[in-house]
Structure formats: structure tokens, C-alpha cells
Amino acid sequence: PTLIHNPRSNMNNAVGTCDVQRLFAEEVRVGLGTDGMTSSLLPDISTAVWLLKHQTSDPASGFNETLQMLTQNNPGVYQRVTRKKAGRIAPGYSADFAIFHYPSPTPFSPETWLGHLFFAISGQNPVYTITNGQIRYDHGCFPGIDLAQFSENSRKVSRKLWSRM
């Protein structure tokens, strides 16, 4: 079984929280998502860590579970849905990744990198995003996309969608 954990959306809608540790123990594949709360998964990364710490009353929890959701479970869900390889930078894989400019204010090491990722880098905008080996976002711009036209089309589609609800 597979479930997507949407911590900020679920808290916003006051529908409860996901017991990620119990689901992991029951061998449910738990991915991390936004449920449309935002177009970026980055804020949900730190929220997922904080929520796990809160649920367990353990300041050491949350890191491993969130890392597994991001690096193993999300690519697994994507592969299951699309039948495309993901989750690695290797021949035959999607080659989707983001590059951040992060001048670390504190030591960055194998022991501290997860804290930097979950609490500092996740709050920043990427410099580049690359999907299928192509730059899709470059220093605040989307090469080849007319953002005004894209936004207008999105508003039209969203109005149609909301009229059906």
C-alpha cells in the first residue's frame, strides 16, 4: 500500500495528522506531498520533521523518516505511477534535481547535512531546477514559458475545476 503524507495541507484543513511511524512499521510506503497547498514541496519537508518530533515527543525523530519519504518513497511512487525510473542521477533515470546556493552559516558535515537540508535549504528558492536533464528554472525565470500566459491559462482551468465542485 502507498499513502502520501501532506502535513501542511492536513493541518490547514484540520483533518488530523498522519502517524508516519506506525505506517512505516506496517510497511506502508509513505511519500511526502503538498496536496496542492503550494507548488513547492520544500516547506512540507521541515513541517514533516517538526510534526514527527511533536508526535513522538522525541527531538531525535523525524530525520530518517522524512529522508526516506523524499529519497526512496517519493521516487518509488513516481515510478509506480509513470513507469519511469527516478530517484538517481544515472543513465536511464529522469535526472530531476534542484541546485541551491547555500553559504552555510554553521559547519556543514556528514553529521549535520540533514539539519541544513530540512531547516535551512528547504526554506530557500533553488537557483536551478532540472527535469529530464533540461533546465526548467533558472535564477527566478522559466526558460521558454510565457509566465503571464501560463498564469491566465491556469486561472481559466481552475475556474472550470471549481465550478464542478
Side-chain angles (χ1 to χ4, degrees):
T2 300
L3 179 136
I4 305 300
H5 175 36
N6 304 296
R8 292 184 341 126
S9 176
N10 289 356
M11 289 191 292
N12 179 61
N13 293 321
V15 296
T17 59
C18 179
D19 189 345
V20 171
Q21 289 189 323
R22 180 179 63 86
L23 293 168
F24 273 34
E26 294 176 9
E27 298 184 5
V28 173
R29 177 186 287 164
V30 181
L32 185 61
T34 69
D35 196 23
M37 187 75 181
T38 68
S39 60
S40 175
L41 184 63
L42 295 173
D44 285 274
I45 294 171
S46 56
T47 303
V49 174
W50 291 329
L51 186 55
L52 279 158
K53 290 176 180 301
H54 176 74
Q55 288 174 322
T56 62
S57 298
D58 179 3
S61 71
F63 286 94
N64 293 331
E65 298 89 344
T66 303
L67 183 64
Q68 182 175 335
M69 286 187 278
L70 287 171
T71 62
Q72 295 173 34
N73 297 357
N74 278 8
V77 171
Y78 178 81
Q79 287 177 200
R80 184 175 175 192
V81 171
T82 67
R83 305 286 185 238
K84 296 179 182 177
K85 292 181 179 180
R88 296 180 188 193
I89 300 173
Y93 284 74
S94 300
D96 299 348
F97 58 94
I99 299 171
F100 293 83
H101 174 69
Y102 179 64
S104 176
T106 60
F108 193 99
S109 69
E111 294 79 27
T112 64
W113 76 273
L114 272 179
H116 287 274
L117 173 64
F118 293 156
F119 302 126
I121 296 170
S122 68
Q124 297 186 359
N125 289 323
V127 176
Y128 296 101
T129 58
I130 296 158
T131 61
N132 289 323
Q134 295 184 357
I135 296 173
R136 306 293 184 177
Y137 180 82
D138 180 353
H139 291 86
C141 298
F142 298 91
I145 294 177
D146 179 341
L147 198 52
Q149 184 62 47
F150 178 84
S151 296
E152 179 57 31
N153 290 344
S154 294
R155 286 189 289 276
K156 287 178 185 176
V157 169
S158 67
R159 280 193 289 273
K160 288 179 186 177
L161 177 62
W162 280 107
S163 73
R164 293 187 296 180
M165 293 185 179

